[in-house]
Amino acid sequence: MNTSDLVFMQRAFELAQQAEQLNEIPVGAVVVYQGNIIGEGFNQSIMLNDPSAHAEMLAIRQAGKHLNNYRLLECTLYVTLEPCPMCAGLLVHSRIERLVYASADLKTGAAGSALNLVCNEQLNHQIMVTGGVMQAQCSQLLSDFFKRRRREKKHSKKPIIKL
């Protein structure tokens, strides 16, 4: 990890906070090429009614348009939560060089936690991975979000009154 990892993860964290404010799962991502952010996104699956509208997907789409290329060679993706299998597959296909994530996802993480698609030698591309950058802040944001959602769901259940 280096100083720029913290700078770019901070931006991903700010994007995650935007997602949280919109009642989306708070995940943010940025794509960096030659020291500059060329793509960014935050989860928008609920707002867009699109199960593929994950932070990584949106950031990578923007980066591809910026580079005018579907290959993101020499790019690094910073994301606040370990990518799911869908996003990990996208990272491999886009040829992202490096992945930096904050919080591990023990249930669906596909960069080493639940499974490892990004470093699978059977695939034609492997990605350098750094985990744990700003882990405490990003994990807390996710934890607080899901606690709030569970509380809201519990309070929205109306008691059944039998007559």
Side-chain angles (χ1 to χ4, degrees):
M1 180 178 71
N2 54 47
T3 307
S4 62
D5 285 350
L6 290 172
V7 169
F8 294 123
M9 188 60 76
Q10 179 62 43
R11 177 61 186 149
F13 181 70
E14 291 167 4
L15 291 164
Q17 290 173 312
Q18 286 182 35
E20 196 270 339
Q21 290 169 3
L22 296 167
N23 215 25
E24 292 277 355
I25 295 173
V27 178
V30 297
V31 177
V32 174
Y33 176 70
Q34 296 181 343
N36 297 303
I37 294 174
I38 61 167
E40 55 183 37
F42 56 85
N43 276 6
Q44 296 180 47
S45 295
I46 298 167
M47 289 184 340
L48 299 177
N49 295 309
D50 179 355
S52 72
H54 288 196
E56 302 96 319
M57 186 76 69
L58 299 173
I60 286 172
R61 285 177 182 159
Q62 196 176 86
K65 286 179 183 174
H66 178 87
L67 292 177
N68 199 30
N69 197 335
Y70 72 110
R71 299 289 193 220
L72 301 181
L73 305 172
E74 301 176 30
C75 290
T76 299
L77 175 78
Y78 293 85
V79 63
T80 58
L81 181 65
E82 180 182 1
C84 70
M86 174 183 70
C87 293
L90 175 64
L91 298 180
V92 171
H93 284 292
S94 68
R95 305 297 194 270
I96 287 280
E97 181 175 305
R98 183 168 176 246
L99 164 66
V100 180
Y101 70 85
S103 302
D105 185 343
L106 302 178
K107 292 181 181 177
T108 63
S113 291
L115 56 128
N116 196 342
L117 288 177
V118 299
C119 296
N120 187 322
E121 291 187 13
Q122 291 180 306
L123 300 178
N124 60 348
H125 179 70
Q126 290 79 41
I127 299 167
M128 292 181 286
V129 178
T130 302
V133 177
M134 288 185 59
Q135 186 272 331
Q137 299 95 314
C138 295
S139 291
Q140 190 65 54
L141 182 65
L142 283 160
S143 179
D144 291 348
F145 173 80
F146 285 113
K147 283 178 188 173
R148 179 178 58 80
R149 290 275 297 262
R150 285 189 296 272
R151 194 171 49 246
E152 289 170 356
K153 187 175 181 179
K154 182 180 177 183
H155 291 312
S156 71
K157 292 182 180 176
K158 299 195 186 327
I160 298 172
I161 301 172
K162 295 183 179 181
L163 300 175

